[in-house]
Amino acid sequence: MHVDVSSIITAIASLILGYFAFSQNGKKSDLDRTQAIHDYIQDQNDRLNAENERLVKENQRLKKELKNYETKH
């Protein structure tokens, strides 16, 4: 059985390139998942901030209404 050195080098290089190709693909998938989670958290944060602003205004309105009610009675 005769094995050529260039065949061994080609096989090793193919294995190394294949490993890096799959490892980079996995990292891209992780980055996509991380970006999706970030986007979801950002959307929830924006929604909660808007809800908080609405509740603060409602609270201020109710405090003012209560103060006016107390001064009349």
Side-chain angles (χ1 to χ4, degrees):
M1 183 170 133
H2 177 67
V3 178
D4 200 11
V5 174
S6 65
S7 298
I8 294 173
I9 293 172
T10 303
I12 291 172
S14 297
L15 287 173
I16 291 171
L17 289 174
Y19 170 77
F20 283 120
F22 284 111
S23 68
Q24 292 300 320
N25 191 21
K27 288 179 184 176
K28 183 180 182 301
S29 177
D30 290 344
L31 289 175
D32 290 344
R33 190 175 313 118
T34 301
Q35 185 62 41
I37 292 169
H38 175 269
D39 292 345
Y40 173 77
I41 291 171
Q42 188 64 47
D43 289 343
Q44 293 300 312
N45 189 40
D46 293 343
R47 182 185 63 78
L48 290 172
N49 282 341
E51 179 73 9
N52 189 43
E53 289 176 16
R54 186 188 68 76
L55 290 172
V56 166
K57 288 177 184 176
E58 178 73 10
N59 188 25
Q60 290 171 345
R61 185 188 66 78
L62 290 171
K63 281 182 180 180
K64 187 176 180 181
E65 190 176 303
L66 179 63
K67 185 177 179 181
N68 288 339
Y69 177 79
E70 287 175 346
T71 56
K72 290 180 182 179
H73 294 100

